[in-house]
Each structure stands twice: as structure tokens, then as C-alpha cells.
Amino acid sequence: MAKIAVMGHGVVGSGVVEITLVNGEQLKKRSGETIEVKRILDLRDFPGLSYSNLFTKDFQDIVNDEEISVVCEMMGGVSPAYEFTKACLEKGKSVVTSNKELVAQKGAELLQIAKQNNVNYFFEASVGGGIPIIRPLHQCLAANKIEEITGILNGTTNFILSKMLDDNMPFEEALALAQQKGYAEKDPTADIEGDDACRKICILAALAYGNHIYPKDVHKEGISKLTLADVRYARSWDGEIKLIGRAAPVENGKVTIMVGPMLVPQDNMLSSVDGVFNAVTVKGNMVDKVTFVGRGAGKSPTASAVVADVVDAVKSHGTSISQTWIDNGESMVADYLDDVVAYYMRVKTADVSAAKAYVEQRLPEVEFLDYDGSAEDEIAFVTQPMVARESHTLEQDLEQNGIQPVSKLRILQ
Ligand code: HSE
């Protein structure tokens, strides 16, 4: 019998308890042992649950219980999740988590502590919700050099974008629905402004390239400035706008990494990933491109990834098998302004034909976009690839010629 504890009885934590109750037989077959939740840590009261006798408000009841071998940390945030995780690992308990903020901040250190204590720190649920991506990346794709990771890594924003575009639902209503469905973070700004996707691409990049990457070093843009006009122009170009996280190695052992809304061409699989679904495309130098798609947020999908980690933690008890990466104190993040990238731009102007003439003369092989009902005082166009830094010079040149840049999005190559 393997006894486990759950810290945090929110959307995912309650899902973990439910899976152990509903799929108990299955878990026994897979792990070789009956898996039983012995304790649940939460400061709130949950009267009326069939397992309300398991709740405690005192972390000591978990960390000092020698019968508990695996702890699921579903608390979110860095503190006290960090202190609790560290204490559990040091007491010889494996910890599994869906807490991407903690893994992105303290992953290198916690993985090291797990190794020193012959236990595991697993975090499959921290990226892509229910999609298996952590294990495939460091196990199934282990023979490859990872040339690029590109993904839709936030279910809330993808859900909001789909609802706005396909159902004409206002932004606020779509966000409220995402919150109601348990997709959004406690503070949904982390979803909307790209912080959540940023943490996830940092975790994937650390796994792929072996060094810790701190979210604070990564350029990020959110979706709050997007308008329906941008989406319509995107569709006129046969593309979709998606919040994309991307990482790829460049020279000197550095990694170019960023998060932002991008124009995704329809022949890229990511363009058709809608709603709460996430997708991650990994390009290996041997396998070429592999894409993983599934529900990126929500109770059962995320909890299923947590419980899969529990099964592995039970099976590997006493052996440290989790992947590690190092934090050598140096940022391996390359300047994103050195990227070479094509742009979509939308600009306002008092004189459309003069603006078009200027843009045509300023940019080689520019492609103008239009859609039925587009505003009369604006133009939109797609550029050829340029060094990202030059796009700022371009914006300044446009302004000096009476053309006001409104939107600028990268095009996913
Ligand atoms: N808020 C996150 C999302 C939850 O929407 O993707 C899953 O990490």
C-alpha cells in the first residue's frame, strides 16, 4: 500500500483525490500497489465530503508522517509551496506537482535536493495540463538535439481567443467562462499577459537545453492588446492568431526564447488548435517535428498528469530517476531583438494611398492585407523577415511619415 498526501484541495488537488477513488484498480495495476490518500492539506474547510476526515491544516501532519511516501503539491505560487516541497524531499518523500511557477523559479534546486535524497520531483502536469510532454521530451526524444520548441501553452488565452473569434463573445465574458471552468490562474493576469505560458516555455527549455531559464529573463507579450481587426486581417492572410511560446538554441550555447501572440499560418498544425487545447511542437534533429496536443487546463486532464507522476513515484520509490538541469548562475537567454522574423503590422493613417506608397518603397516584397469592413483609415501588411531590432526602426520611420503603428505581431515561420 502506498500512502500519499495532497497539498491544496483546489481544482487540480480535488481532481487528484477523485482519480485515486475512481480509478483505484487501474492505479494498482499500473503501480503494483494500492494508492491511498492519507492526508489532505488545506486551510479551508470542506464539510460534507466523503473523505473530509483526511483534511488537516497543519503541514507537520504530512511531513512528519513516515507512512506517506509521495506528496502532491497542488498549492500554486512559490511560497510556502517551495518550503513545503523542500522539507518533504529532505524527509525522503517524492513530490509531484502541477505548480509551474515553482518549477520555473526553483526547479534546478528542487531537482538537486530530490537527487541528493534519492527521491523524485516530478512535474508532468506543470506544462500542457493533461498532455504528456515532459517525459516525451527527456525520455522518448532523448536521442535528439532539440532544434526548436513551439507551443500554445496556455489554455485560458486559447479558450478566450476561440470564444471571441468563433462565438463573437466579448473578452470579459470569455474570461469569466474560463474561470468558471477552472482553467484560469487565481489571478488571470498571469494567463492574459503571458506569464503562465512564459513559465511553461522556461521549463521546457530548461529540460531541452540543460540550464535553468528564469521567466524574468524572457521577453513576453500578452493578448490584451489584440483586436478583432487583427484577427480578421490574420484570417484574410489564411492564418490564426495564437499566444505562442518558442525556444530554440542559437550560437554560444544561448537560447532564443519568448512568448507573444503570433500569426500562425494555416499549414502549421498549431493554427487549428482551439479552445482549452494546448499543443507543443518539438523539432529534433533526428526525428524532425513531433506535435503533442491535448487539454491544456482543467481539473481531470491536469489531475490525470499528476496521478501518472504519482504512479511513477510509487514505482521508483527509493531511486532518483527524475531529470535534472543546472543553474550555473549565468543567463543563457539570447537577446530576442537579434531574432530574424517576419511581421504583421496594422497602422493608422490619414492618407491610405500615401501610406501604402511609403510602405512599398520602405519594405521589400511587402504583402498588403484587407478584409470586408476593414477601417478606412488603416492598412495592414506582412513584411519579409528582418532582424527584430529593425522592426523598431521601421515603427519610428512610419511615425515620422505620419503613419501610426497600432499592432505588430510576429509571424510563426
Ligand atoms: N491557467 C493555466 C492555463 C492552467 O490556462 O493554461 C494550466 O496550467
Side-chain angles (χ1 to χ4, degrees):
M1 164 94 70
K3 305 234 177 184
I4 71 169
V6 174
M7 302 197 295
H9 191 260
V11 175
V12 182
S14 59
V16 168
V17 180
E18 279 171 33
I19 291 177
T20 61
L21 296 174
V22 174
N23 282 358
E25 276 308 310
Q26 170 82 5
L27 299 179
K28 187 176 176 188
K29 276 190 205 137
R30 292 272 156 85
S31 67
E33 291 188 56
T34 299
I35 294 176
E36 185 186 284
V37 178
K38 184 172 180 190
R39 282 287 190 191
I40 303 168
L41 179 73
D42 204 295
L43 293 177
R44 297 163 294 179
D45 291 312
F46 295 90
L49 287 176
S50 61
Y51 52 85
S52 54
N53 58 316
L54 304 182
F55 281 86
T56 176
K57 293 182 170 54
D58 187 356
F59 170 64
Q60 300 306 320
D61 288 342
I62 290 174
V63 73
N64 292 328
D65 187 330
E66 291 189 356
E67 269 192 342
I68 293 172
S69 58
V70 180
V71 178
C72 307
E73 185 271 299
M74 249 52 56
M75 304 167 72
V78 172
S79 190
Y82 164 67
E83 290 81 5
F84 288 3
T85 299
K86 194 172 164 194
C88 288
L89 294 171
E90 286 170 346
K91 279 272 189 169
K93 302 178 194 305
S94 287
V95 177
V96 309
T97 188
S98 57
N99 186 343
K100 53 263 162 154
E101 192 176 354
L102 181 58
V103 180
Q105 280 301 332
K106 302 279 189 185
E109 182 190 344
L110 292 170
L111 287 164
Q112 194 58 35
I113 296 172
K115 212 172 198 64
Q116 283 158 1
N117 288 279
N118 244 358
V119 290
N120 290 293
Y121 184 49
F122 288 144
F123 47 92
E124 184 63 66
S126 66
V127 180
I131 309 173
I133 177 64
I134 301 293
R135 265 182 201 73
L137 188 55
H138 78 85
Q139 290 180 355
C140 317
L141 299 176
N144 288 266
K145 283 186 188 161
I146 305 301
E147 293 179 339
E148 186 178 16
I149 305 170
T150 321
I152 295 171
L153 298 167
N154 183 268
T156 301
T157 44
N158 210 44
F159 178 84
I160 292 173
L161 287 173
S162 299
K163 285 285 172 199
M164 284 173 71
L165 309 184
D166 299 332
D167 303 347
N168 262 337
M169 191 180 276
F171 180 93
E172 292 302 334
E173 206 179 307
L175 171 59
L177 194 54
Q179 288 176 299
Q180 194 187 318
K181 286 177 175 284
Y183 301 157
E185 298 300 296
K186 265 186 218 149
D187 174 3
T189 326
D191 298 296
I192 310 304
E193 296 304 339
D195 301 88
D196 180 73
C198 183
R199 290 164 189 151
K200 292 166 176 169
I201 193 70
C202 286
I203 294 171
L204 295 180
L207 263 180
Y209 305 118
N211 266 295
H212 197 94
I213 295 181
Y214 286 93
K216 68 173 174 46
D217 296 334
V218 174
H219 177 73
K220 73 175 171 58
E221 295 158 24
I223 63 161
S224 56
K225 296 197 187 92
L226 285 180
T227 68
L228 224 45
D230 294 316
V231 172
R232 300 223 162 106
Y233 279 120
R235 288 199 167 163
S236 77
W237 179 78
D238 271 349
E240 298 288 341
I241 298 176
K242 300 285 179 193
L243 183 67
I244 299 289
R246 179 177 179 272
V250 288
E251 309 89 56
N252 309 327
K254 298 236 172 198
V255 173
T256 179
I257 175 166
M258 68 156 299
V259 171
M262 295 191 198
L263 205 58
V264 182
Q266 252 166 23
D267 60 4
N268 185 312
M269 280 180 70
L270 300 187
S271 74
S272 58
V273 174
D274 291 328
V276 72
F277 283 76
N278 282 190
V280 186
T281 299
V282 180
K283 184 165 187 271
N285 67 334
M286 294 296 149
V287 71
D288 200 10
K289 286 186 177 175
V290 191
T291 299
F292 304 84
V293 189
R295 288 182 184 275
K299 181 173 175 166
S300 302
T302 312
S304 88
V306 173
V307 177
D309 274 351
V310 170
V311 168
D312 260 14
V314 167
K315 275 168 41 182
S316 59
H317 189 58
T319 326
S320 179
I321 59 166
S322 45
Q323 177 77 358
T324 56
W325 61 75
I326 59 161
D327 180 3
N328 64 7
E330 279 173 32
S331 174
M332 65 184 302
V333 177
D335 188 343
Y336 77 99
L337 291 175
D338 290 336
D339 288 356
V340 174
V341 53
Y343 287 95
Y344 151 86
M345 290 185 81
R346 178 163 64 91
V347 298
K348 286 224 174 288
T349 171
D351 185 341
V352 164
S353 19
K356 273 192 166 172
Y358 177 76
V359 169
E360 256 174 341
Q361 165 256 309
R362 172 73 174 69
L363 293 168
E365 295 175 58
V366 69
E367 182 187 352
F368 289 103
L369 308 179
D370 203 3
Y371 69 90
D372 265 357
S374 61
E376 285 185 359
D377 62 346
E378 67 182 28
I379 57 172
F381 52 88
V382 166
T383 73
Q384 291 296 308
M386 64 181 86
V387 177
R389 187 170 286 104
E390 284 171 14
S391 73
H392 293 302
T393 319
L394 170 63
E395 284 175 303
Q396 285 161 10
D397 291 351
L398 289 167
E399 276 179 58
Q400 275 166 13
N401 283 275
I403 304 164
Q404 192 58 46
V406 186
S407 299
K408 185 179 80 173
L409 301 178
R410 291 175 169 229
I411 293 176
L412 188 64
Q413 313 277 320

